[in-house]
């Protein structure tokens, strides 16, 4: 029996097929969208530290990924026999199909979203917390935009799978493409011609939506965005919009509280005691470098100061006010208020990769409503970029910068909150030697302006040249707390000072 080409082509003018096409698109689109949202909620539940959220989500995913869609379809369509009140909804084939597909897809989408969410590094959330952005703000502004981009190719693939799976809904008599075809060839027995036409309709749907999704993927792909360095003229023009960063004036007065006071601070990771009773006072305007061998607890110490790590014992007092104790929850208003006064610069920069440099800097002031208007917020951010010498790169993305430039942006981002104290966690350790100088110069300028700073560093010369005090940590304790001068010029032999001199590679100059 010859292939009936005229009949095959006539199937593309048949209204019932085009209506079935629309049904497939509606069913697939809605299943994808609702599954996407439900899957996201379930992914968050599955990643929650709370077992009463994590376990039900895990059981849902396990169960509905195991049940075949065909079984679920027939079950849901017949559910009104058991639960008559569901008849108005589930008795409609489209709705029964939608519910079944959403329930199945949500389980798959949960795992896709979980992959995306897990790919966003811990440093991104920490950078958000260091900017005192709340939990929901961090998810909305920092994590979800990145996780969605990572998950998008797999989510798109899932849409194609859903389109094809929708043919199964024919089993409950929904007139989608396959059902429409079946009805036709049951009358004329032209099975091959009809099924080929059905296949072509599916291919058309997948191709059109595939192209749309590819456009969306390209639109969101940050690697494809390559804004140029601004020319001198463009830069000058932008500088006119910038608000110069006002010079800091260090107001010290007698009786003024310490900027920071740490009392008997203990911290352990499990059984491992990392901080074993730290006591430290920092006067406003003081620059303190923290040095010591690897694993001595330097990073842990400054992370406790901006509440990135909880403490087990002791207290931290900020400008004379209670701030953190062992029982403090990092999510309280008091801690967030304190964190707002502290800027943090991380070893690995932790810039937000989905935002331009300007947006990175504007994010926190915008979130906290620090500026009266968007224009002013932008002007301040431009001023800060200019201060760190990166105005010409304002519209670039972090991936387009060198490590040293990224670290300078990270400093500008922290400064955008007008902090009273700056914490630096080995700010140059991740940099190539030739890039270190520019970052250190920015920190030096801040020291000159009277910024209170705690700097964990392995740059010994820098520590000696910039600091009012150098703290040497070893074995979870402050072993030496001395002015650079006394480290370099101490006249008498003094065992702890000798140890720090040895560690820093400093030759004693007898004074
Ligand atoms: N999140 C964590 N979980 C478990 N142990 C940790 C954690 N963070 C740090 N530690 C451990 O605590 C100790 C102190 O680490 P910390 O990073 O504070 O030291 P450090 O003096 O800054 O070292 P480095 O100079 O190498 O950065 C190390 O032994 C480290 O392995």
């Amino acid at each position: 029996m010859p292939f009936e080409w005229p009949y095959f082509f006539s199937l593309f003018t048949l209204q019932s097929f085009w209506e079935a096409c629309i049904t497939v698109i509606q069913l697939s689109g809605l299943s994808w969208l609702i599954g996407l949202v439900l899957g996201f909620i379930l992914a968050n539940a599955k990643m929650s530290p709370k077992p009463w959220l994590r376990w039900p989500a895990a059981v849902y995913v396990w169960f509905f990924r195991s049940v075949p869609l065909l079984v679920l379809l027939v079950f849901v369509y017949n559910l009104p026999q058991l639960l008559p009140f569901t008849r108005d909804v589930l008795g409609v084939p489209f709705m029964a199909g939608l519910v079944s597909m959403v329930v199945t897809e949500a389980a798959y989408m949960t795992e896709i979203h979980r992959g995306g969410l897990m790919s966003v590094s811990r440093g991104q959330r920490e950078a958000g917390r260091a900017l005192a952005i709340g939990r929901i703000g961090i998810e909305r502004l920092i994590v979800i935009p990145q996780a969605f981009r990572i998950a998008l190719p797999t989510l798109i693939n899932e849409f194609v799978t859903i389109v094809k799976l929708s043919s199964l809904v024919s089993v409950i008599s929904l007139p989608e493409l396959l059902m429409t075809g079946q009805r036709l060839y049951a009358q004329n027995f032209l099975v091959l011609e009809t099924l080929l036409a059905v296949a072509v309709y599916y291919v058309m749907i997948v191709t059109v939506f595939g192209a749309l999704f590819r456009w969306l993927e390209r639109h969101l792909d940050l690697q494809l965005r390559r804004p140029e360095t601004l020319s001198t003229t463009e830069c000058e023009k932008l500088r006119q919009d910038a608000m110069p960063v006002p010079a800091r004036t260090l107001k010290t007065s007698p009786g003024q509280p310490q900027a920071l006071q740490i009392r008997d601070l203990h911290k352990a990771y499990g059984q491992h005691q990392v901080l074993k009773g730290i006591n430290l006072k920092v006067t406003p305007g003081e620059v303190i470098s923290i040095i010591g061998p690897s694993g001595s607890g330097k990073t842990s110490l400054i992370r406790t100061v901006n509440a990135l790590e909880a403490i087990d014992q002791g207290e931290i007092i900020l400008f004379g006010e209670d701030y953190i104790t062992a029982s403090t929850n990092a999510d309280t208003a008091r801690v967030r208020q304190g964190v707002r006064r502290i800027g943090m610069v991380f070893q690995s920069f932790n810039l937000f990769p989905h935002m331009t440099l300007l947006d990175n800097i504007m994010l926190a002031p915008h979130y906290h409503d620090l500026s009266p208007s968007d224009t002013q917020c932008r002007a301040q951010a431009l001023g800060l970029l200019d201060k760190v010498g990166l105005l010409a790169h304002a519209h670039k993305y972090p991936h387009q910068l060198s490590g040293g430039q990224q670290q300078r942006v990270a400093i500008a981002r922290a400064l955008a909150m007008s902090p009273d104290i700056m914490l630096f966690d080995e700010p140059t350790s991740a940099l190539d030697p030739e890039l270190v100088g520019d970052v250190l110069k920015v920190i030096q300028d801040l020291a000159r302006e009277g910024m209170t700073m705690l700097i964990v560093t392995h740059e010994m010369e820098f520590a000696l040249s910039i600091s009012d005090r150098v703290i040497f940590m070893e074995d979870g304790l402050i072993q030496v707390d001395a002015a650079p001068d006394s480290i370099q010029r101490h006249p008498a032999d003094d065992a702890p000072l000798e140890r720090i001199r040895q560690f820093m590679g400093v030759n004693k100059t007898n004074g």
Side-chain angles (χ1 to χ4, degrees), residues 41 56 99 139 175 203 213 224 284 293 324 336 369 402 427 444 450 490 511:
I41 296 167
V99 168
E139 293 301 315
V203 170
F213 278 126
L224 296 178
I324 292 175
R336 274 212 299 274
D369 269 334
S402 72
Q444 245 151 5
H490 199 266

Side-chain angles (χ1 to χ4, degrees), residues 122 269 272 274 292-301 309 347 426 456 458:
R122 196 175 71 143
Y269 296 106
H272 184 188
V274 176
S294 181
S296 54
K298 308 178 296 291
T299 297
S300 301
L301 174 62
E309 298 289 351
Q347 183 177 352
E426 301 187 29
V456 173
H458 290 292

Side-chain angles (χ1 to χ4, degrees), residues 64-82:
F64 285 107
R65 276 202 312 182
S66 313
V67 177
L69 178 61
L70 201 54
V71 175
L72 193 65
L73 274 167
V74 178
F75 182 86
V76 169
Y77 191 49
N78 287 289
L79 200 59
Q81 291 175 23
L82 196 68

Side-chain angles (χ1 to χ4, degrees), residues 255-270:
Q256 190 184 15
Q258 302 284 343
L260 190 69
Q261 204 172 346
I262 299 175
R263 286 192 193 140
D264 192 31
L265 191 144
H266 287 70
K267 162 90 194 152
Y269 296 106

Side-chain angles (χ1 to χ4, degrees), residues 349-381:
F349 331 131
N350 291 342
L351 291 179
F352 304 128
H354 58 297
M355 294 180 191
T356 63
L357 306 194
L358 198 54
D359 289 337
N360 260 278
I361 298 175
M362 284 168 64
L363 179 75
H366 206 270
Y367 176 85
H368 293 291
D369 269 334
L370 295 189
S371 299
S373 68
D374 282 358
T375 320
Q376 195 162 333
C377 188
R378 183 173 179 274
Q380 280 164 345

